[in-house]
Amino acid sequence: AYRKIMRRVLVIGGRGALGKSVLKKLVARKYNPVSVDIDQDKGPVSGVESYLNFQPKGSVKDNFDMMKYGIGDKKYDAIICVAGGWGGGDLTDPNLFDVVDEQYKISTTPSLIGAKLATSNLASEGLFLCTGSAGILEKGSSAGMLGYGLSKAAVHHLIEACANPEAIGLPKSSTALAILPETLDTDQNRIGNPDADTSTWTPLDEVADQIMTWIEKVDERPRSGSLVKIETRNNKTKFERL
């Protein structure tokens, strides 16, 4: 069943490939999304009128206060965090600590800010969604991308801690989920991996469509606290709750 919606969604990471795809879907369905990211003027999405600029050098509290001031007391159907980026390196990497700091800033911190905002600005039966990673699930799989793995593991933990939304401070009947893609089919990934088998890459539109379904149809969501692995094989995509 469709839930009563206000057509307001906050998208953290709106300048990224998946963020833009989600924003375009929202605009097409007559929503009024707010996009949060850095350098918003470099990648606006047609139809999106509200932008908030994330300050990468600002503190977590400063960025939270900026976003809270920007959205005020408005209630949102969903708060979607698709911010992030990849960073490599193992324990021998001389830049290990810088990479870890950077990965937390671009992945974990925005997710935590989104969760905190959800305590006051997410509507009843609203959706809080973050982006984890299927690539760190197997033991040893993140040895060569330790900072990335640590930051994404923290996102997974944040969502699993929301299994009982009210107990952690989220609104009644809300849902917290994490999507765990393997490889998304983005221009950047195609440039960086020109010889890859893209039949195992997940199209952005399919992820954005699933997010839209979860925003609008409460009974089609996995239970709160779920990690949802996204797997594409032979150009067919499935969403599996772990």
Side-chain angles (χ1 to χ4, degrees), residues 82-102:
V82 286
W86 188 82
D90 59 18
L91 288 172
T92 66
D93 187 344
N95 298 313
L96 172 64
F97 302 126
D98 290 336
V99 172
V100 171
D101 282 344
E102 176 70 10

Side-chain angles (χ1 to χ4, degrees), residues 176-198:
L177 302 174
I179 52 171
L180 279 57
E182 292 183 330
T183 304
L184 294 174
D185 192 351
T186 66
D187 291 341
Q188 187 175 2
N189 281 338
R190 283 183 177 261
I191 292 170
N193 302 276
D195 299 321
D197 175 12
T198 58

Side-chain angles (χ1 to χ4, degrees), residues 1-9 20-33 45-48 77 205 207-217 220:
Y2 282 91
R3 58 182 290 268
K4 183 179 180 181
I5 53 179
M6 291 163 289
R7 303 213 173 267
R8 285 198 292 262
V9 174
K20 286 182 180 179
S21 185
V22 171
L23 286 171
K24 288 175 182 177
K25 297 287 184 183
L26 289 165
V27 170
R29 292 187 63 81
K30 310 300 183 185
Y31 280 74
N32 297 303
V45 173
S46 178
V48 178
D77 297 303
D205 272 355
V207 181
D209 282 338
Q210 183 62 72
I211 291 173
M212 289 302 305
T213 297
W214 287 336
I215 289 174
E216 297 183 339
K217 296 185 177 182
E220 292 195 19

Side-chain angles (χ1 to χ4, degrees), residues 113-132:
I113 290 173
K116 181 67 172 174
L117 288 171
T119 64
S120 59
N121 292 86
L122 189 64
S124 177
E125 296 190 332
L127 173 67
F128 171 55
L129 182 140
C130 292
T131 309

